[in-house]
Structures are given as C-alpha cells and as structure tokens.
C-alpha cells in the first residue's frame, strides 16, 4: 500500500477536540478504513483534550498509512518541555494515556526543540491481533513490550532532549489470545486485577459478573445452544448453566427442560464442594448436592466453567432419578465444559470491549463538556447531570471553603420531586471527617430523625463519595447515591472515580478563573470614573466599550470631574473632561489608563492649567520607561458663559482625533488642531484653544475605535464618515447622539470591534 499522510492544525479551544475527531474519522473514511475509525477517534480525542487542557497551545493532528498498511496518528503541541507520565492519584495531566495504551498496538512520545508529539499505531483493519513482536518503529523510537503495565513503569522515561519512548501492548484489546484462555493479561489492567470483577488467577474465586455476559446476545445464544446440547448428548432430563456474580452468587444463565420459574435461592460458590473449587467435574447421586437441591433434581453431573484460572460458572446435567449419572458422564461433561468456556470467554471479552468502548466515549464527551466552561457553578451542575442517571440515582457536589469546611453546592436527583427532600437531608447530614479517598459514605444516617422521615425512602439510600483532588489538594467531594436494594456495580464506581478526577481539574480551573476574573473586575472598575457630575447648562453623555473579552476597561478611557477655582471658592467652579487612547489594549494599557486618569484629577486639584497638566503627565509617562505607552489625549476645562448662554471650553488635543462641533443647522466643524501625543518627546509645550459652545450646539469627542471601525477595507471615518453621521443627529439630546453613534459603530462591520470605543457628547442647553 502506498504511504499517505494527511494533517490539520487546530487552535487551543475546547471545540477543537470535536473538530479533531471529525477530521480523523473523515480521513479514515477516505482511506476505506472505517472499521478502525472508532478506536482512532477515541484515542485522538484523549490526546487532543490533553493538548488543549494541559499544554494550552494549538496542536496538529497527522494521520499516516505506513508501508505495512497500519494507521499511525500523531498529536503534536507546542509545549516541548512538558514531559508525560502515566497519571497517579493527584496527577494533573496524562489522563488519556491508559486509554491510548489499551486502544493502540503501540504508542509513544517524541520531543524536539519546539514541539512534543504523542503518537499511536493501530493495525490495519482485518490484520491479525496476535501478540505483537518487539521492534523498532520506522520513526526510530525504542519499543518496550509489556502493555499497560510496562507503559506505567516507563512512561516517564522520555523527557526533553530525548528521542522518545514507545510502548507496545500484546494481543488485541483484551490483551489475551482469544482462543487460549491461559496466560492472557487482564483486560482491565493493573487496577482491574485488584477488583473483584476479575478474581485471582488459579484461586477459584469468582470471575466477571454473569449479568455482564447475559447482556450479550452472543453469550445468551451460546448458553442456550450449549444447555440443549448437554441435555441431548447426555440424555438428561434437563440441563442448566449457572454463572457466577461478582459477589460469588450463582445465577441461572440458561436452561433446557427446567420450569421457567424455578428459584435457585441463595446458591453461592462457597456452597460448592471441593471438586468444583478444584476445577474438576463431579457427580452427585442424590439430592444432597446444593445445586441438585436448588434445581429440585435427584442426581446430577456437573463441570466447572473456567477462564484464565477463574471460575466463571457451572454446567450441570440433571435427572429426576437418583444415581442416574456415572463418573464417565462427568468426564464427558468436563470436555464439553472446556469447549463452552472458550465460547463464553470470547462472548465475555466482546461484551467487556463494548462496555469499555462506551466508557471511553462517555469519558471523552464528559471531558469535552467540562473543558467547555469556566463557570464554577455551571461546572458543578454539569458534573452532577453527567452522573445522573447513568451512574447513580442522585448526585451531590460539595466544595471546600478556604477554611476547610464543606458546603453543599449542587444537588441533582433523577426524580425531580425528591430533589428538595434530598437537599434538606444532605444539608443536615454530617460531612466530617473529610474523605480523601473514594469509598462508601454513611452521612445520610447522621441527619435528624424528622428530616430522614420527611425524605422518605431516600434516607435509606446507599451512597458513595469521591474526593475532588486537584493539584495535590482537596477542593470538594462528589457523592452519588442509589436506592438501598440497588447496589453499585464496580464499573459504575470506577467510572465515577475517573470522572471525579477530571471534574476536579475542571472545577479547580473554573474556581481559579472566577477568582482572577473577580480580582480583575475590581481593579478595572477602580479605573472607571465613579459618576458624571451635573454641569449647569450642559448635557453630558458618555459611551465606553472595551475590546477585550471580560474586560471593563482597556486602553481607551474617559473622565468628567469638577474642580474649584483659586482658593477653592465654589462660586468659581470649573469642570474638566478628558478622553484618551493608550497604545494597545488589555492590562498593560489599563495600567497607563490608571496613571493618566488619576494624574489628571490630582494635578487639576493643584489648580494647574490644562497645558501644564499635559506637560506633567508627559513627563510621568516618559519616566515609566519600557512600561510606558504612547498616549493620545483630549483634555479640556469647562466654564459657564455669562447670562447662561452655553459654556466656554478651553481644550488641548495631544495627538488625539479632533473633536467635532455640530451646529443646530447641521453644520459640522473641527474644534481643535492636533499637537504632539504624550510619551514620545520630553520638554513639549502645549497650548489651549477655546470653543464657545452655545445653546443647541454639540461637542463630540471620540477615540480612534470609532473612526477606525473597520468593514472590510473601509473605515468608518473614511471620507468624513463621522462628520456625516454627526450631521444626522441635529436636534437630538446628548444621550440620543451618543446612542446613535454607538449603534452606528456596532453595525458598521459584521465582526466585533477589535479596539476599545469611547466617546463623550457635550450639548449646551
């Protein structure tokens, strides 16, 4: 097959993860490899999520067909110094690596001076899933065999400056040779081998739950065919297959010849005799055998069903007559059980694979949703709604205050009519002592009796708690609950535990963002004038729109304030106004905004003239050195005219767009000539110009965010566009003029403005 490569680059945004998935699926569809698309999409989703959430840079996804026809996918980000390791309990990255280790035939990490890439290889559709041979890939990465366990031990080997590390898992998804049933690796990995789902190899302990196999149509069909064959071949009255549950109970998987409503009671693996525990067939000639008694038979032949040394069930042939079966029958049944075990194990692995793929899809989609919001309350609500009803009947999310006290933040119940009772119950429950590891939670029992009675059956629910641990500290707890008789499957607990890890990081990121936003907003509000004073004979209207997302102030600013004349006499009151534009936007520009606005007020209080104020401010900006910014400023002083006929304005334009005067007859003229802007030259001397604003005249002062509003290649100020716009405001109040110009700026271009917008409208009345 000819070698092919297709790549695409995505920005650092939550939506990019979904775009990356669509890209990979489309590429594989073009290559007629749709069978491998699900694995490739899930693995890519995990790596893209890591790139967006932890690297925080744009990333590239490259898909390649190797010369062997395998599929190689690599996700590269621009964070070469961030090494990857398999995640531990408190890790803040690497959450997708176990998923990659399970899905891919091999995977690895590569570094260079500018980028870091994580790649994985999938065998071509239809290729053998036998044990992969250790090899050195064509990219030159060393290969370490040993699957997930090997990866967990060596994932941290590659670091900055190293060529990379690669890991190869043996076998297919389950890590086992499908037909052997021996020597295969646990498909759930190291953590799964500690679980009661898997049992201990060679111990005779119960294996995976029978309910999981019964959910598989292939398994049910295999069981039904098997029991019919056993009954017919052994000429028995009936036959049955009993499957082991996770807790050791035996459940009826399939039967032939038994009444449909036969109860088997509390039959358990521990009730079986030594032959069953040793893995040997046996014969019982009377009803003393526990299985014979449960199934109302007088004699039976039985053989254990085993997979990888685990007891997965028992197949029995039954008779209503005592002494019906001989030892040779049991031996024959044992050989049939060996064949059944292989078929059942294959069905079990298939169901496990489907369940595990569903788990991956859920976690991938949950990660997308959690990464898509930075609102703390919304994130907590989202966590609860992801859990209910998929994993539990109800969910409660607690957060931890700075003092360490737990506070109930969100409650969600599948039955909305029970939500209020559940919240009341949880608010009176005792959360202490704090839980730092997942485990059963019995806090509902600590609520007062009257509250428990009001909650009804919910008070008896069983609950499980999962701490939210981010960056080494506990920031909250997730509690999930189910009715008392509905136990938590181990798979639900594991899934909730994984979700809690990802939710902890999402909640912590949202908390940090909320704190930083609140701090930024408080600082930004301090840079805006507290209020606009009332000026006799003058209407004043202002508009301010910062360009930065979430910002309240940026590089543009305005101010209108009152000063007193010589000696502080109120009778000689004056007012000053200013509108300026600092070069740039964001926090750096806002710092100069604060310097300029406060300096204008302080210097005016010292009874300095407008030109002297600008000269002093110019020196202050130059003294800031590299932190300083260029500043255009229009500053003026307002004084009432005699006989209340408007106002007199003495103003100076330091590199700022000239103010415009609108006469009642619609004529528009410029009111000041330009002078040097601030922050460039030392020793600049400024002068003032006087504008007599009579009744009905309007003075418009704007920043270049108005005149340079862009629509394609055209600017709003081109061809005297602002003058024509102002001329159409004849007869309007100051507020109406400001609103019309603001609306015109917004509507001028299809895209949001990329610059701050500020304007002051003064109208003599």
């Amino acid at each position: 097959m000819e070698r092919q490569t297709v790549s695409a680059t995505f920005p650092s945004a939550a939506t990019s993860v979904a775009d990356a998935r669509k890209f990979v699926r489309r590429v594989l569809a073009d290559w007629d490899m749709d069978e491998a698309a699900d694995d490739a999409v899930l693995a890519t989703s995990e790596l893209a999520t890591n790139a967006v959430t932890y690297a925080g840079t744009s990333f590239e996804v490259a898909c390649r067909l190797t010369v062997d026809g395998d599929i190689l996918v690599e996700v590269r980000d621009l964070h070469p110094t961030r090494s990857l390791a398999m995640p531990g309990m408190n890790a803040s990255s690497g959450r997708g690596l176990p998923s990659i280790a399970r899905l891919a035939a091999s995977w690895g990490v590569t570094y260079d001076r500018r980028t870091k890439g994580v790649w994985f290889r999938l065998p071509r559709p239809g290729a053998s899933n036998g044990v992969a041979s250790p090899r050195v890939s064509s990219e030159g990465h060393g290969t370490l065999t040993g699957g997930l366990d090997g990866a967990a031990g060596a994932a941290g080997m590659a670091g900055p400056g190293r060529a990379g590390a690669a890991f190869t898992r043996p076998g297919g998804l389950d890590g086992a040779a499908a037909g052997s049933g021996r020597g295969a690796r646990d498909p759930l990995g190291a953590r799964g081998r500690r679980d009661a789902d898997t049992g201990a190899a060679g111990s005779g302990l119960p294996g995976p739950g029978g309910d999981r196999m019964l959910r598989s149509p292939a398994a049910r069909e295999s069981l039904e065919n098997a029991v019919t064959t056993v009954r017919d071949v052994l000429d028995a009255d009936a036959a049955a297959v009993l499957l082991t549950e996770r807790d050791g109970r035996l459940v009826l998987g399939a039967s032939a010849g038994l009444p449909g409503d036969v109860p088997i009671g509390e039959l358990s693996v521990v009730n079986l005799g030594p032959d069953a525990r040793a893995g040997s067939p046996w014969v019982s000639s009377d009803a003393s055998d526990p299985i014979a008694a449960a199934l109302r038979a007088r004699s039976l032949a039985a053989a254990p069903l085993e997979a990888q040394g685990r007891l997965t069930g028992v197949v029995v042939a039954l008779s209503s007559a005592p002494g019906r079966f001989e030892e040779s029958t049991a031996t024959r049944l044992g050989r049939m059980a060996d064949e059944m075990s292989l078929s059942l194990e294959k069905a079990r692995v298939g169901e496990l694979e489907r369940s595990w793929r569903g788990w991956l899809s859920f976690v991938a989609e949950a990660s997308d949703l959690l990464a898509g919001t930075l609102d703390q309350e919304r994130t907590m609500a989202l966590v609860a709604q992801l859990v209910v009803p998929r994993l539990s009947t109800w969910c409660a999310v607690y957060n931890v205050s700075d003092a360490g006290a737990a506070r109930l933040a969100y409650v969600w119940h599948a039955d909305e009519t029970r939500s209020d009772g559940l919240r009341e119950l949880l608010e009176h429950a005792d959360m202490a002592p704090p839980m730092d590891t997942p485990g059963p939670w019995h806090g509902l029992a600590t609520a007062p009796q009257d509250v428990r009675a009001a909650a009804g059956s919910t008070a008896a629910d069983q609950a499980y708690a999962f701490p939210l641990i981010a960056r080494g500290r506990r920031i909250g707890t997730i509690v999930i609950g189910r009715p008392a008789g509905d136990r938590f499957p181990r798979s639900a607990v594991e899934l909730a535990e994984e979700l809690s890890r990802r939710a902890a990081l999402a909640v912590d990121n949202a908390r940090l963002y909320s704190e930083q936003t609140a701090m930024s907003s408080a600082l930004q509000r301090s840079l805006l004038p507290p209020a606009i004073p009332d000026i006799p004979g003058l209407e004043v209207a202002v508009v301010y729109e910062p360009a930065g997302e979430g910002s309240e102030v940026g590089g543009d600013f305005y101010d209108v304030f009152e000063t007193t004349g010589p000696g502080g006499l109120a009778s000689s009151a004056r007012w000053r106004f200013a509108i300026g534009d600092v070069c740039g936007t964001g926090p750096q520009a806002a710092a100069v905004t604060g310097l300029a606005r406060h300096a204008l007020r302080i210097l005016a209080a010292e009874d300095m003239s407008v030109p002297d104020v600008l000269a002093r401010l110019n020196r202050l900006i130059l003294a800031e050195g590299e932190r300083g910014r260029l500043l255009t400023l229009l500053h003026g002083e307002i004084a009432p005219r005699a006989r209340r006929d408007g106002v007199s304005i003495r103003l100076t334009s330091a590199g700022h767009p000239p103010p415009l005067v609108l006469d009642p007859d619609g004529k528009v003229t410029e009111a000041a000539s330009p002078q040097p802007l601030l922050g460039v030259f030392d020793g600049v001397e400024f002068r003032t110009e006087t504008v007599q604003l009579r009744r009905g005249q309007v003075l418009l002062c704007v920043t270049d965010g108005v005149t340079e509003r862009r629509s394609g290649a055209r600017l709003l100020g081109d061809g005297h566009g602002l003058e024509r716009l102002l001329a159409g405001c004849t007869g309007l109040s100051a507020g109406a003029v400001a609103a019309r110009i603001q609306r015109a700026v917004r509507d001028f271009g299809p895209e949001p403005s990329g610059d701050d917008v500020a304007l002051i409208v003064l109208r003599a009345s």
Side-chain angles (χ1 to χ4, degrees):
M1 184 177 296
E2 184 179 356
R3 192 184 186 104
Q4 300 181 52
T5 301
V6 181
S7 64
T9 302
F10 303 91
S12 178
T15 56
S16 296
V17 179
D19 294 338
R21 289 200 299 264
K22 295 176 183 176
F23 166 73
V24 171
R25 189 176 295 278
R26 185 172 63 251
V27 169
L28 295 186
D30 292 341
W31 290 347
D32 294 327
M33 291 191 168
D34 300 272
E35 295 178 27
D38 288 340
D39 286 350
V41 165
L42 287 174
T44 302
S45 181
E46 292 294 324
L47 295 181
T49 299
N50 279 348
V52 171
T53 305
Y54 306 120
T57 71
S58 61
F59 63 93
E60 178 188 26
V61 179
C63 303
R64 183 167 62 195
L65 281 179
T66 69
V67 292
D68 298 325
D70 292 346
I71 302 165
L72 188 68
V73 179
E74 183 174 27
V75 177
R76 301 194 68 84
D77 60 58
L78 304 180
H79 202 316
T81 60
R82 186 182 183 94
S83 60
L84 291 180
M86 279 293 187
M89 178 63 71
N90 298 327
S92 61
S93 63
R95 291 295 176 201
L97 298 185
S99 305
I100 308 305
R102 296 181 191 280
L103 284 171
S106 60
W107 67 279
V109 186
T110 59
Y111 298 88
D112 58 34
R113 293 182 179 179
R114 293 181 298 274
T115 62
K116 175 188 82 271
V118 183
W119 58 268
F120 62 88
R121 182 191 299 268
L122 299 174
R124 66 184 183 278
S128 172
N129 283 335
V131 177
S133 302
R135 64 184 185 273
V136 176
S137 70
S138 60
E139 292 73 39
H141 309 307
T143 302
L144 174 69
T145 60
L148 181 57
D149 291 342
M157 292 177 61
R162 304 191 63 163
F167 312 106
T168 302
R169 67 178 180 89
L173 177 66
D174 58 339
S180 68
R182 302 184 183 275
R185 299 179 58 81
D186 184 353
L188 293 181
R191 184 172 64 181
R193 288 196 297 278
R194 297 195 303 267
D195 191 354
D197 277 9
T198 58
S203 67
L205 295 176
D211 60 343
R212 172 172 287 171
M213 280 192 282
L214 293 178
R215 290 198 298 266
S216 167
R220 290 197 301 270
E221 182 180 0
S222 177
L223 290 174
E224 292 167 359
N225 293 337
V227 294
T228 301
T229 300
V230 168
R231 183 191 63 178
D232 295 343
V233 170
L234 300 184
D235 194 21
D237 295 334
V241 171
L242 305 178
L243 300 176
T244 55
E245 285 278 72
R246 296 179 180 88
D247 57 4
R249 292 183 300 113
L250 291 172
V251 298
L252 185 63
S255 65
L258 284 178
D261 58 347
V262 59
I264 64 174
E266 292 297 323
L267 192 59
S268 174
V269 171
V270 297
N271 303 131
L272 302 181
D275 289 331
R277 290 193 291 272
S280 302
W282 74 94
V283 171
S284 176
S285 300
D286 53 42
S288 62
D289 186 278
I291 296 179
L295 298 180
R296 302 174 185 177
R298 302 293 300 276
S299 61
L300 63 77
L305 299 171
E306 291 185 312
Q308 303 179 39
R310 304 187 306 267
L311 181 64
T312 60
V314 179
V315 57
V316 294
L318 307 166
S319 175
S320 59
R324 169 70 179 77
F325 301 105
E326 301 177 351
E327 292 295 333
S328 60
T329 306
T331 302
R332 189 177 182 186
L333 182 59
R335 290 195 294 269
M336 298 174 67
D338 288 341
E339 296 179 3
M340 290 176 59
S341 295
L342 296 177
S343 177
L344 286 176
E345 179 66 3
K346 183 178 180 180
R348 183 193 71 84
V349 169
E351 181 60 27
L352 181 65
E353 178 178 342
R354 282 189 293 274
S355 299
W356 184 76
R357 289 178 189 273
W359 177 87
L360 269 184
S361 297
F362 174 74
V363 171
E365 294 297 332
S367 297
D368 279 0
L369 291 172
L370 291 172
T373 177
L374 286 174
D375 181 274
Q376 186 175 4
E377 298 299 326
R378 185 178 301 175
T379 301
M380 291 183 178
L382 183 59
V383 170
Q385 294 176 33
L386 284 170
V387 169
V388 178
R390 179 171 185 133
L391 304 180
S392 65
T393 305
W394 55 265
C395 177
V397 183
Y398 293 80
N399 59 16
V400 177
S401 65
D402 294 337
R407 182 184 69 85
L408 185 61
Y410 194 83
V411 176
W412 186 257
H413 198 293
D415 184 354
E416 294 184 6
T417 62
R418 297 193 176 191
S419 294
D420 292 340
L422 174 62
R423 176 176 287 277
E424 185 75 11
L425 186 65
L426 291 169
E427 287 178 344
H428 287 83
D430 185 11
M431 275 299 295
M435 301 184 65
D436 292 325
T437 57
W441 182 71
H442 307 289
L444 296 181
T446 64
Q449 185 60 37
D450 58 333
V451 177
R452 289 172 53 82
S457 61
T458 304
D461 283 0
Q462 56 180 323
Y464 221 93
F466 303 86
L468 296 175
I469 298 176
R471 300 172 179 89
R473 65 187 186 89
R474 187 172 64 87
I475 62 172
T477 305
I478 297 176
V479 179
I480 63 176
R482 288 191 177 196
D486 187 8
R487 62 187 178 86
F488 283 102
R490 186 64 191 173
S491 57
V493 173
E494 288 182 346
L495 186 53
E497 183 178 354
E498 177 65 24
L499 183 62
S500 70
R501 294 191 184 112
R502 301 183 182 226
L505 292 173
V507 170
D508 195 46
N509 287 337
R511 180 187 62 82
L512 292 175
Y513 178 79
S514 298
E515 291 178 355
Q516 292 172 358
T517 301
M519 182 184 302
S520 176
S521 296
L523 292 174
Q524 290 169 350
R525 282 193 298 271
S526 70
L527 300 178
L528 296 175
I532 301 299
D534 291 329
I535 303 177
L538 194 66
E539 298 176 17
V540 182
V542 297
V543 169
Y544 184 76
E545 291 184 349
E549 182 179 357
S551 298
E552 295 185 23
V553 70
D556 290 11
F557 70 96
Y558 70 91
D559 200 359
V560 183
F561 56 93
E562 182 179 1
T563 64
T564 57
L569 298 176
S571 60
S572 57
R574 298 287 188 272
W575 295 266
R576 292 195 179 184
F577 70 93
I579 184 168
D581 183 0
V582 180
C583 178
T585 60
Q588 293 81 9
V592 179
T593 296
L595 170 65
R597 199 179 72 81
H598 293 300
L600 289 173
R601 290 195 171 220
I602 293 172
L603 298 176
E606 296 296 324
D607 200 25
M608 294 182 66
S609 66
V610 170
D612 290 342
V613 168
L614 294 182
R616 180 67 64 86
L617 180 57
N618 183 50
R619 291 197 295 271
L620 289 174
I621 295 175
L622 290 171
E624 289 290 304
E626 294 182 357
R627 296 184 303 173
R629 291 286 192 275
L630 302 182
L631 170 63
T632 68
L633 181 64
L634 178 64
H635 186 29
E637 183 177 66
I638 304 170
R641 284 171 52 86
R643 296 186 299 277
R644 299 181 180 273
D645 182 19
V647 295
S648 177
I649 302 176
R650 300 181 64 194
L651 54 80
T652 300
S653 176
H656 200 78
L660 301 177
V661 174
L662 171 64
D663 293 335
D665 60 3
K667 181 181 178 182
V668 177
T669 57
E670 291 186 357
S673 57
Q675 299 180 52
L677 72 166
L678 306 181
V680 179
F681 306 109
D682 195 5
V684 178
E685 294 185 0
F686 297 94
R687 66 184 185 278
T688 60
E689 300 177 60
T690 302
V691 176
Q692 302 297 337
L693 201 64
R694 293 179 173 83
R695 185 176 292 117
Q697 286 186 308
V698 174
L699 180 71
L700 173 64
C701 311
V702 302
T703 61
D704 60 8
V706 174
T707 57
E708 296 181 3
R709 177 71 166 104
R710 183 174 294 276
S711 177
R714 188 165 57 94
L715 302 180
L716 186 147
D718 288 348
H720 302 288
L722 182 59
E723 287 84 345
R724 290 197 303 272
L725 180 61
L726 180 60
C729 298
T730 303
L732 299 181
S733 66
V737 173
R740 176 172 293 189
I741 294 176
Q742 180 185 25
R743 184 169 60 252
V745 171
R746 290 178 176 175
D747 297 342
F748 186 73
E751 300 295 331
S753 176
D755 196 2
D756 302 331
V757 172
L759 60 91
I760 297 177
V761 178
L762 306 176
R763 182 180 183 274
S765 59

